[in-house]
Amino acid sequence: MMVEISAIIRAGKFDDVRDALHAIGVEFFIFYDVKGVTFTKEHKGSYRGTAIFDASSISRRKIDIVVPEVDAAEVVDCIKKAATTGVAGDGKIFVKDVKTSVRISI
């Protein structure tokens, strides 16, 4: 069976994740820029003694990979290690079963 791994990571960690995936043999994946909204206040600095908070949107990059189920744990671990900064907001990884896939070309 195949699984789809979707990871939402910090855009700045994309190169590290891409290189780590290449190192373990992942040959193809899809990525795109996404934005999310958080309702937790994140301190962004201050101006004239007033704290500035920005909760409007957060830039992230989403990666979608389809791999055999036996390789899923290795891929998830690879993404987790490469995307970690140690600060809250590093991202999320989702793993879903793929029941059917159809090849378009012959």
Side-chain angles (χ1 to χ4, degrees), residues 1 7-8 11 20 22 24 38-40 42 60 63 65 72 74 98 101:
M1 179 182 283
I8 301 170
H22 180 68
I24 64 166
T38 181
F39 296 105
T40 59
E42 214 175 285
R60 294 288 185 255
I63 299 170
I65 307 167
E74 180 183 16
V98 175
S101 66

Side-chain angles (χ1 to χ4, degrees), residues 50-95:
T50 303
I52 299 170
F53 296 96
D54 180 14
S56 59
S57 65
I58 302 168
S59 285
R60 294 288 185 255
R61 191 152 289 168
K62 184 173 181 185
I63 299 170
D64 289 333
I65 307 167
V66 178
V67 295
E69 188 175 18
V70 295
D71 297 332
E74 180 183 16
V75 172
V76 168
D77 189 50
C78 175
I79 294 169
K80 189 174 177 180
K81 285 180 182 175
T84 299
T85 65
V87 179
D90 280 343
K92 235 2 150 182
I93 301 172
F94 304 94
V95 180

